[in-house]
Amino acid sequence: MLLGVSSPAMAADAPAVGASEAYVVDSAGTIHFGKRETRRVPVASLVKIMTAYVVLREASLSDTITITATDVKYAARGGAATAGLKKGERLTTRDLLYALMLPSGADAANALARHYGPGKTAFIAKMNRTAQAMGLADTRYTNPDGMPTPAKGGYSTAVDQVKLAQRALASDTFTAVVGSKVHKVTKTALHRAHTWRNTNKLLGRADGVLGVKTGYTNAAGYCLLFAGERNGQRIVGVLLGDRNERRFGTAEQLLDYAGEQSALS
């Protein structure tokens, strides 16, 4: 999907958007909203979308990864969101993708990056090479989770994040993961029972929502990358540097607005 150039972004009836940066486009390439959309900023846990994308390109979903003390300590030390993983647990890549995307587990991000680099340094290099190959010229990653160190987790733009989401949503597995409200893992000899709930409240408040991901750090503010189906079009948008609850209401309004605009064109 290519991003277009036609834009009713500043139409008088466009929703008020309080986020610092925003961008909304439909699958026909029509840009429905733009606000500082090319400004480079940290994007917090939206970084995990690229982590999932890189993993899905080379992993078998049935691969088994053993959680290490380093994975657990990394998330705890940084005060990050975790999936509650414990040292010695062995989980499939499929389940770890849910642990990564629903509760936004930095422990899952560390385990996946460590396994598929192999090693985090090699994995981060893969993330940056993938971004370059996609044409995301204003995106750079410094870790697989968006944590503030090093260098605020890197940077991206609203435009680049929408482009990335469009590519990621071409994967049925990715779409199934980010569209799930809850994922439960039954206890086995290899791991404990887990219940992971999606932090994306938009899934429960609007029809046709596909996901995608929330994020927050002090530097990035509250972020939301979102997607939904409206009038036969797939709408993808992002809000960066927003307030916590406001981002979900704004995203719902932008989905409806873009859908109405698409129906008129």
Side-chain angles (χ1 to χ4, degrees):
M1 271 180 268
L2 298 177
L3 299 180
V5 293
S6 60
S7 175
M10 304 314 293
D13 58 343
V17 174
S20 296
E21 297 83 25
Y23 191 66
V24 181
V25 67
D26 67 27
S27 48
T30 301
I31 301 165
H32 293 282
F33 195 91
K35 180 180 180 182
R36 300 189 191 100
E37 64 269 25
T38 59
R39 183 183 178 202
R40 291 179 174 182
V41 292
V43 296
S45 285
L46 301 193
V47 164
K48 297 184 177 87
I49 295 168
M50 180 60 88
T51 300
Y53 184 82
V54 171
V55 168
L56 283 167
R57 292 182 71 194
E58 57 185 77
S60 169
L61 294 176
S62 60
D63 290 349
T64 300
I65 298 175
T66 301
I67 304 304
T68 67
T70 301
D71 301 327
V72 176
K73 290 177 182 177
Y74 171 77
R77 183 174 63 248
T82 81
L85 304 179
K86 299 295 183 183
K87 175 186 174 182
E89 287 193 279
R90 296 176 61 197
L91 291 133
T92 65
T93 294
R94 181 189 293 274
D95 284 333
L96 284 174
L97 286 169
Y98 283 95
L100 175 76
M101 300 303 286
L102 271 63
S104 201
D107 43 3
N110 203 80
L112 288 165
R114 176 178 51 76
H115 186 83
Y116 289 110
K120 284 176 66 175
T121 299
F123 189 85
I124 295 162
K126 287 181 180 180
M127 294 171 72
N128 284 312
R129 285 198 301 271
T130 303
Q132 185 177 29
M134 280 188 188
L136 308 184
D138 293 306
T139 296
R140 179 166 178 79
Y141 299 102
T142 66
N143 59 42
D145 47 68
M147 290 281 284
T149 55
K152 297 182 180 178
Y155 57 79
S156 188
T157 67
V159 169
D160 278 5
Q161 286 299 293
V162 167
K163 287 182 181 178
L164 172 58
Q166 289 177 319
R167 291 287 288 273
L169 287 165
S171 162
D172 291 340
T173 299
F174 180 87
T175 303
V177 170
V178 299
S180 299
K181 294 180 183 179
V182 180
H183 183 72
K184 295 185 178 182
V185 178
T186 305
K187 181 181 178 181
T188 72
L190 299 180
H191 55 74
R192 303 182 310 142
H194 292 279
T195 299
W196 295 310
R197 301 184 187 281
N198 204 321
T199 57
N200 186 0
K201 297 179 183 179
L202 190 61
L203 284 167
R205 64 182 291 166
D207 294 333
V209 174
L210 302 174
V212 176
K213 186 76 185 72
T214 63
Y216 173 77
T217 62
N218 285 335
Y222 288 94
C223 303
L224 178 64
L225 188 46
F226 59 93
E229 301 286 353
R230 292 288 188 278
N231 292 315
Q233 295 280 354
R234 175 171 288 183
I235 314 296
V236 181
V238 67
L239 298 166
L240 304 174
D242 207 348
R243 295 177 185 170
N244 188 5
E245 293 301 323
R246 183 175 67 185
R247 58 185 163 164
F248 301 110
T250 301
E252 183 177 6
Q253 291 172 19
L254 285 167
L255 282 173
D256 290 342
Y257 170 73
E260 290 166 2
Q261 294 296 309
S262 296
L264 295 173
S265 60

